[in-house]
């Protein structure tokens, strides 16, 4: 990664993000926003025009991509949030306490909270919102809430979560999409409408939305921390094309944009400010071990040894990031030093494994992707050297969510790790039996036990790092997921926009000013 991580308490609370996919149609939203008065602070004003990505859904319960959390955090708030270091800190709640055995956690809410539709955000509303996330038959966050047995609201300011087992990750877990609080009035009256008309209690409200094109947001004066929001307006655009992003920034189409490593030099030459923000995103290949040829574990191992990750990093990232063999980066509490070079580039070993698998003359497979250029082509060339003959299948980005994340109907897909807000949650997404990035839908019993142990270990316990690293080591040796390299967040901006806070987890914009 591009910056050191300093404290173990911070490391224990890091989360992971992935890439989102766009949607298509045009909708107009009625502007809404009411609630508590704005507290004293700096004057608001200005507009950020962010070239980034539009969400798969504005409903956090059905959002299917980790990257969505950046957009959703603009319109929703949770009981907690993650600070710049990744620590869970108070948000809608002023704090929380655990019972001595870790099976109950109690949150105290701020007073005077409201949703952007004007309805009260009290303990009863929090209970309804979280119960929807864990109870809806199609919920994509339900697997992360399995340790919650019951939610109670004994009074308007108190939310009590009773757990099926000790789980000290709950404040981290609720800081992301899983814990975003949605207006009960909105989902009781028109749940489907939330996909394009979010109703939350975040720093902004969505006023208009053209799917696959643009989202326009307005400052929410009822946000609990409104004094920290200096912008009046916020606009979000789809991920810019690499070949035009610098020109678009110069012209003012965007004033902040995500750029690839290939454009860093051009952006600096154009007089733009460039920030390389450490991110816990990692490029990965999703592999389905129930489909040939990966139903033979030796073929999976051969693939891992056939890949030259150093070459991929240099070409695909222009050197920004690190080679990776595991989901966690160097310096993170879950990083397992014993897996630092687990599958080094070794063509001879890859060929030997293929022969042992019954494929002495090589094997054929399909690489599924949303874009043939770049990584898939480089992988194709590398795999050819060891006798793995590949066909590249390009699927529409708009269909990838259904084909890859829901149906799990492909053998191999080029992906990025859509991580989550606590380490066990990240394990669930990657390796859990219902994990979006576990197309095989199976998990070794010993890995389940290792992840449960991590959840039941307090973050300040000296056993926490040891238990988490042991789970990492077990996962990368028993699961087919093939990690490639880390992907930092590279933002270019016009000089009239103030520096973007370097949040490792969710990109936030507190204190940012713009013309």
């Amino acid at each position: 990664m591009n910056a050191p991580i300093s404290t173990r308490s911070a490391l224990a609370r890091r989360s992971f993000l992935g890439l989102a996919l766009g949607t298509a149609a045009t909708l107009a939203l009625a502007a809404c926003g009411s609630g508590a008065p704005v507290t004293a602070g700096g004057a608001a004003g200005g507009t950020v025009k962010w070239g980034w990505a539009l969400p798969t859904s504005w409903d956090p319960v059905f959002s299917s991509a980790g990257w969505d959390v950046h957009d959703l955090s603009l319109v929703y708030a949770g009981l907690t949030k993650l600070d710049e270091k990744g620590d869970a800190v108070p948000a809608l709640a002023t704090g929380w306490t655990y019972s001595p055995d870790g099976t109950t956690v109690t949150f105290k809410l701020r007073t005077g909270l409201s949703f952007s539709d004007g309805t009260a955000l009290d303990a009863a509303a929090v209970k309804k919102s979280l119960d929807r996330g864990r109870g809806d038959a199609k919920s994509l966050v339900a697997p992360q809430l399995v340790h919650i047995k019951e939610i109670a609201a004994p009074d308007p300011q108190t939310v009590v979560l009773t757990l099926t087992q000790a789980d000290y990750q709950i404040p981290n877990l609720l800081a992301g999409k899983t814990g975003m609080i949605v207006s009960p009035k909105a989902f009781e009256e028109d749940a489907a409408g939330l996909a394009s008309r979010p109703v939350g209690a975040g720093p902004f409200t969505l006023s208009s939305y053209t799917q696959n094109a643009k989202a326009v947001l307005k400052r929410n004066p009822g946000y609990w921390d409104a004094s920290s929001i200096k912008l009046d307006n916020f606009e979000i655009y789809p991920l810019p094309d690499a070949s035009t992003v610098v020109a678009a920034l110069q012209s003012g189409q965007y004033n902040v944009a995500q750029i690839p490593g290939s454009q860093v030099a051009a952006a600096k030459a154009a007089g733009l400010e460039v920030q390389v923000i450490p991110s816990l995103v990692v490029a990965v290949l999703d592999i389905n071990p129930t489909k040939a040829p990966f139903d033979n574990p030796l073929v999976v191992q051969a693939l891992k040894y056939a890949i030259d990750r150093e070459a991929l990093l240099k070409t695909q990232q222009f050197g920004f990031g690190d080679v990776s063999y595991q989901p966690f980066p160097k310096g993170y509490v879950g990083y397992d030093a014993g897996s630092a070079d687990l599958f080094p580039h070794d063509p001879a070993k890859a060929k030997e494994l293929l022969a042992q698998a019954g494929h002495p003359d090589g094997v054929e497979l399909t690489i599924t992707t949303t874009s043939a250029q770049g990584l898939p082509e480089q992988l194709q060339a590398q795999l050819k050297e060891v006798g793995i003959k590949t066909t590249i299948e390009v699927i529409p980005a708009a269909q990838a969510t259904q084909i890859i994340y829901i149906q799990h109907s492909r053998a191999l897909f080029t992906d990025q790790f859509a991580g989550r807000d606590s380490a066990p949650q990240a394990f669930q997404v990657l390796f859990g039996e219902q994990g979006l990035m576990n197309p095989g839908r199976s998990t070794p019993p010993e890995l389940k036990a290792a992840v449960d142990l991590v959840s039941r270990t307090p973050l300040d316990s000296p056993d926490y790092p040891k238990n988490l690293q042991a789970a990492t080591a077990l996962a990368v040796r028993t699961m087919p997921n093939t990690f490639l390299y880390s992907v930092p967040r590279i933002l270019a901006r016009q000089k009239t926009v103030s520096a973007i806070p370097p949040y490792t987890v969710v990109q936030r914009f507190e204190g940012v000013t713009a013309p």
Side-chain angles (χ1 to χ4, degrees):
M1 300 302 288
N2 297 85
I5 303 174
S6 57
T7 64
R8 186 173 65 80
S9 62
L11 297 174
R13 298 165 171 84
R14 292 297 181 100
S15 74
F16 303 83
L17 311 174
L19 292 177
L21 306 167
T23 49
T26 299
L27 297 153
L29 305 175
C32 58
S34 60
V38 179
T39 56
T47 302
V48 158
K49 299 179 180 181
W50 196 19
W52 181 251
L54 293 170
T56 57
S57 172
W58 286 98
D59 186 341
V61 170
F62 303 112
S63 155
S64 61
W67 190 300
D68 289 355
V69 73
H70 299 285
D71 294 336
L72 300 183
S73 292
L74 295 169
V75 296
Y76 291 105
L79 298 178
T80 61
K81 67 175 184 176
L82 299 179
D83 65 13
E84 291 188 20
K85 297 181 294 183
D87 290 333
V89 296
L92 296 176
T94 60
W96 58 88
T97 56
Y98 269 93
S99 62
D101 64 357
T103 61
T104 301
V105 57
T106 301
F107 293 88
K108 287 294 183 179
L109 297 181
R110 301 177 189 276
T111 58
L113 296 172
S114 65
F115 292 102
S116 60
D117 60 5
T119 58
L121 198 169
D122 56 13
V126 171
K127 171 179 165 55
K128 287 184 177 181
S129 181
L130 294 179
D131 276 340
R132 172 178 178 253
R134 70 193 190 98
D136 191 290
K138 296 183 179 180
S139 170
L140 296 181
V141 301
Q144 285 85 60
L145 297 169
V146 293
H147 288 170
I148 297 179
K149 179 180 180 181
E150 183 181 7
I151 303 174
D155 63 63
Q157 262 61 61
T158 305
V159 179
V160 180
L161 306 184
T162 301
L163 312 177
T164 58
Q165 66 173 56
D167 188 345
Y168 293 95
Q169 300 280 334
I170 294 297
N172 302 35
L173 182 71
L174 297 182
K177 285 195 305 177
T178 302
M180 289 178 176
I181 306 303
V182 182
S183 165
K185 178 183 177 182
F187 63 73
E188 289 171 354
E189 292 183 354
D190 183 15
L194 286 169
S196 56
R197 299 185 296 276
V199 184
F204 297 91
T205 60
L206 187 65
S207 58
S208 68
Y209 180 39
T210 304
Q211 292 180 328
N212 255 6
K214 182 180 180 181
V216 177
L217 301 91
K218 303 293 183 182
R219 185 174 184 268
N220 177 15
Y223 178 52
W224 71 270
D225 191 24
S227 63
S228 70
I229 305 302
K230 310 303 180 184
L231 299 165
D232 271 340
N233 308 290
F234 203 105
E235 299 175 3
I236 311 171
Y237 297 86
L239 188 67
D241 183 82
S243 64
T244 61
V245 62
V246 172
L249 282 160
Q250 288 178 296
S251 70
Q253 180 180 350
Y254 319 118
N255 54 17
V256 180
Q258 168 93 345
I259 66 172
S262 62
Q263 296 301 308
V264 169
K268 291 181 177 179
L272 300 169
E273 298 289 341
V274 176
Q275 292 181 245
V276 181
I277 299 175
S279 166
L280 304 186
V281 175
V282 60
V284 60
L285 301 179
D286 294 337
I287 294 174
N288 190 335
T290 68
K291 294 184 178 297
F294 299 118
D295 51 352
N296 188 325
L298 292 174
V299 176
V300 176
Q301 290 186 41
L303 176 75
K304 293 182 177 183
Y305 282 107
I307 295 171
D308 185 346
R309 292 165 178 79
E310 290 282 359
L312 294 180
L313 178 68
K314 182 178 180 180
T315 301
Q316 304 304 321
Q317 291 292 115
F318 280 69
F320 290 95
D322 289 306
V323 163
S324 179
Y325 297 92
Q326 55 186 296
F328 304 133
K330 297 175 183 177
Y332 176 70
V333 66
Y335 178 82
D336 174 47
S339 302
D341 195 23
L342 188 59
F343 301 105
H345 182 221
D346 191 337
K349 188 172 183 64
K351 292 179 180 179
E352 178 185 341
L353 288 165
L354 286 175
Q356 292 177 19
H359 303 289
D361 298 322
V363 67
E364 296 183 2
L365 58 86
T366 298
I367 300 174
T368 303
T369 183
T370 57
S371 176
Q373 297 180 341
L375 177 61
E377 291 179 331
Q378 191 172 6
L379 284 171
Q380 185 178 52
Q382 290 186 358
L383 298 180
K384 183 179 180 180
E385 294 179 2
V386 302
I388 300 177
K389 303 170 187 176
T390 61
T391 299
I392 297 176
E393 176 198 27
V394 180
I395 59 174
Q399 298 177 20
T401 294
Q402 184 65 28
I403 294 172
I404 303 301
Y405 299 112
I406 307 300
Q407 297 177 358
H408 290 299
S409 60
R410 297 297 188 270
L412 185 152
F413 180 66
T414 60
D415 205 351
Q416 294 203 5
F417 175 28
R420 298 297 183 263
D421 303 280
S422 72
Q425 188 185 17
F427 276 112
Q428 193 283 324
V429 172
L430 283 168
F431 312 121
E433 290 180 344
Q434 298 303 315
L436 287 177
M437 295 176 71
N438 180 12
R441 289 295 197 255
S442 64
T443 307
E446 61 270 28
L447 181 55
K448 289 182 185 179
V451 176
D452 276 345
L453 180 60
V454 173
S455 296
R456 289 186 277 107
T457 306
L459 297 181
D460 58 357
S461 167
D463 290 331
Y464 183 78
K466 177 183 67 176
N467 293 344
L468 180 52
Q469 291 160 19
T472 299
L474 188 59
V476 296
R477 286 164 173 79
T478 60
M479 299 297 291
N481 312 61
T482 301
F483 301 96
L484 304 176
Y485 49 81
S486 64
V487 183
R489 189 182 314 132
I490 307 176
L491 299 179
R493 57 183 169 83
Q494 294 181 346
K495 291 186 176 181
T496 53
V497 179
S498 64
I500 309 300
Y503 284 85
T504 300
V505 182
V506 178
Q507 187 57 66
R508 306 185 67 88
F509 292 86
E510 280 86 344
V512 174
T513 60

